[in-house]
Amino acid sequence: NSLYQNKNNQPLGQYDVRERIISLSKESNPTTFQHEMMHWWKSTISTFAEQGNKQAQADLNILNKYVKADSNNWNREQEEIFARSWEQYLRKGIAPTKELQTVFDKIRDWFIEIYKSAKDIVVNGKPVKLDNNIINYFDNLLSLESNKNIELDYNIKYDRLQNEVDN
């Protein structure tokens, strides 16, 4: 079960869902890790939601609505829409806080350089369109204030999940 970003049908990177490993190829670029990280994030919050984590369940409700999914089991196109939406969000260069603006400026510059000729980021030939719900979701994902309470809960459960995988 691998999800991957590709160029000319050659993977730039991939996320192995079962092993929970992100791999990058020699041809990868600064956008590749960002893309694969969102496959990891969706997989992670799905696991937490299945374990009863209320914040993860709320996150998935927002994401399911955005990618038009009936359940937490997404198809490849839905996975790619989510990962590419994160790329589009970063490419816009509008930080959710003034403290992050310098970082977002640098990330935007990478995206502009990599996607010089691309007007839009696309999935299956259709431009990725960000709506207010997904923009707010991504803003909140990066906001320390909004994540203060759930961060500890996610970290505790992630440590527990990691122990299960390692043993």
Side-chain angles (χ1 to χ4, degrees):
N1 269 358
S2 289
L3 300 163
Y4 57 90
Q5 181 186 35
N6 69 55
K7 181 178 182 180
N8 302 326
N9 291 325
Q10 297 297 313
L12 297 176
Q14 70 179 22
Y15 172 65
D16 184 308
V17 178
R18 198 173 339 185
E19 297 294 324
R20 301 182 58 76
I21 294 173
I22 294 174
S23 303
L24 304 175
S25 74
K26 290 179 185 175
E27 291 76 28
S28 67
N29 60 55
T31 71
T32 306
F33 180 73
Q34 295 297 322
H35 179 98
E36 300 306 328
M37 183 181 70
M38 294 319 282
H39 291 306
W40 171 85
W41 179 247
K42 194 278 181 173
S43 173
T44 299
I45 63 171
S46 292
T47 299
F48 292 147
E50 289 167 10
Q51 294 172 346
N53 182 287
K54 299 293 184 214
Q55 183 62 53
Q57 291 167 352
D59 286 357
L60 278 178
N61 287 337
I62 292 166
L63 300 179
N64 287 342
K65 184 176 178 185
Y66 176 70
V67 300
K68 298 176 176 70
D70 295 330
S71 72
N72 298 340
N73 298 318
W74 293 359
N75 62 35
R76 180 172 291 281
E77 182 175 1
Q78 291 163 328
E79 289 277 355
E80 292 306 312
I81 287 169
F82 179 57
R84 300 293 285 195
S85 294
W86 176 248
E87 290 181 66
Q88 182 76 334
Y89 172 82
L90 294 174
R91 182 181 183 205
K92 297 234 179 248
I94 302 169
T97 66
K98 65 181 179 183
E99 293 84 6
L100 289 174
Q101 191 57 58
T102 302
V103 173
F104 267 65
D105 289 343
K106 289 178 183 175
I107 292 171
R108 183 195 60 230
D109 291 346
W110 285 337
F111 276 80
I112 289 170
E113 181 64 27
I114 291 161
Y115 293 114
K116 282 183 211 170
S117 61
K119 183 178 177 186
D120 293 305
I121 293 179
V122 299
V123 173
N124 293 337
K126 296 178 230 165
V128 171
K129 300 287 185 202
L130 303 179
D131 65 20
N132 286 335
N133 290 330
I134 198 69
I135 291 169
N136 288 335
Y137 177 79
F138 289 148
D139 284 351
N140 287 332
L141 191 61
L142 296 174
S143 169
L144 293 177
E145 195 58 38
S146 70
N147 286 317
K148 200 179 285 182
N149 294 330
I150 65 165
E151 186 177 304
L152 180 61
D153 192 31
Y154 276 156
N155 286 339
I156 290 168
K157 287 194 176 191
Y158 181 75
D159 288 344
R160 226 180 287 143
L161 182 67
Q162 221 27 66
N163 287 336
E164 289 174 18
V165 170
D166 292 342
N167 293 327

